Amino acid sequence: MKKNDLFENRIADYRPELSDDEEFMSRFVNKMDTIETVRRYCQHERHRLRCTFVVAFLSGIPVGIALTLFFIFHPLPLHLTAQSWTLPLLRFFAHNASLLISGLVVISISAVVAYVCTLFYNLFAFRSASSQQK
């Protein structure tokens, strides 16, 4: 690699002006305070997101289990004639329509319950955070 004397001379001749020590320290402290504020905010948001996931999990699992047990013992009365269908996939859906619809209902209701619980958790967390700031 060829040495470039022009760049080497510019780097050697570079002498930046140093400002007043107190001005530098005040800017440095302001920047560090800003960084600390952002770090605390990110840490708080990370904690809030974890709590939201825990609330969604803890509310969705029991509701899903309860609804699954309910639909297993009380299936939807849905009977489709499977003999007229020629495709095996459609015949499978016709034979298992009650179970498939029950599964979709269980998943949908569990998701809605988890979403509503998470929504209420976030609402109360926001209210408590805003009341602590006052």
Side-chain angles (χ1 to χ4, degrees):
M1 186 168 164
K2 188 176 174 183
K3 202 173 183 184
N4 195 337
D5 292 332
L6 178 65
F7 287 126
E8 190 174 311
N9 289 338
R10 283 192 181 179
I11 292 173
D13 293 339
Y14 181 68
R15 302 275 184 247
E17 291 183 28
L18 300 176
S19 62
D20 188 18
D21 288 339
E22 290 185 24
E23 180 184 332
F24 170 77
M25 285 306 289
S26 67
R27 279 189 287 143
F28 180 71
V29 168
N30 286 340
K31 288 179 183 180
M32 292 302 287
D33 288 342
T34 304
I35 290 170
E36 183 64 25
T37 304
V38 169
R39 188 190 64 77
R40 273 189 270 122
Y41 175 77
C42 290
Q43 187 178 22
H44 174 71
E45 286 297 313
R46 195 176 312 120
H47 175 71
R48 191 180 66 80
L49 187 62
R50 284 185 192 146
C51 289
T52 302
F53 283 136
V54 167
V55 166
F57 178 76
L58 292 178
S59 62
I61 293 297
V63 171
I65 290 171
L67 287 172
T68 301
L69 291 175
F70 175 76
F71 282 116
I72 284 175
F73 293 116
H74 300 290
L76 297 173
L78 183 63
H79 302 288
L80 299 175
T81 57
Q83 285 78 18
S84 63
W85 301 46
T86 57
L87 293 176
L89 184 63
L90 294 178
R91 198 173 307 137
F92 170 77
F93 283 129
H95 280 295
N96 300 314
S98 177
L99 184 62
L100 293 172
I101 290 174
S102 298
L104 288 175
V105 169
V106 165
I107 290 171
S108 300
I109 292 175
S110 298
V112 167
V113 167
Y115 177 75
V116 168
C117 289
T118 303
L119 191 66
F120 280 122
Y121 171 76
N122 286 335
L123 178 68
F124 291 127
F126 177 73
R127 280 190 177 183
S128 66
S130 63
S131 66
Q132 287 176 0
Q133 289 178 353
K134 290 182 180 179

